[in-house]
Amino acid sequence: MKDSNCIFCRIANGEIPSTTLYEDEDFRVILDLGPATRGHALLLPKEHYKDLFDLEDEVAAKALVRAKRIAGRLQAALGADGMNLVQNNGEAAGQTVFHFHMHLIPRYQNDHAGILWEPGSTTPEDMEEVRRLVEGQ
């Protein structure tokens, strides 16, 4: 299913021009117009899925394989020192376009892309409570 009101559906299906790095029957990988670093790309499925939890398992598996392949090519071609694969779900997690997508972000020493976070702390009791809650699902 495609959503005619979804900008990522329209880009993924070629209705809106983009700089395409890769395309097959299921996905299009484009360069991000607001990149975190040089070579920042987006992997977009051609079908509409709101987020990871809306995605069919088969499509999720294909997405990761495609992301691995293209991220490796980006890293090698650009001489990047590392690579972030980022996938946000929900507004609180930073999702701004509600069409599943993955960010492929080449990383360079001292690039200041700001994707990392400060580690917090926890307790054994809290970890056990989380484990019990998840196990009960």
Side-chain angles (χ1 to χ4, degrees), residues 70-83:
I70 302 306
R73 289 182 188 172
L74 276 167
Q75 186 170 350
L78 299 175
D81 300 307
M83 180 67 66

Side-chain angles (χ1 to χ4, degrees), residues 115-121:
I115 297 168
L116 303 176
W117 58 87
E118 292 293 322
S121 62

Side-chain angles (χ1 to χ4, degrees), residues 5 14 21 37 42 65 86 91 93-94 107-108 112 117 120 124 132 134:
N5 294 317
L21 300 179
T37 65
L42 300 175
V65 170
V86 178
E91 189 175 339
R107 297 304 304 268
Y108 308 92
H112 307 291
W117 58 87
R132 278 196 315 265
V134 172

Side-chain angles (χ1 to χ4, degrees), residues 71-121:
R73 289 182 188 172
L74 276 167
Q75 186 170 350
L78 299 175
D81 300 307
M83 180 67 66
N84 285 119
L85 299 181
V86 178
Q87 201 285 304
N88 303 320
N89 297 282
E91 189 175 339
Q95 186 178 12
T96 57
V97 178
F98 293 89
H99 176 111
F100 171 87
H101 58 285
M102 293 179 69
H103 295 262
L104 288 59
I105 306 173
R107 297 304 304 268
Y108 308 92
Q109 291 298 329
N110 302 311
D111 64 20
H112 307 291
I115 297 168
L116 303 176
W117 58 87
E118 292 293 322
S121 62

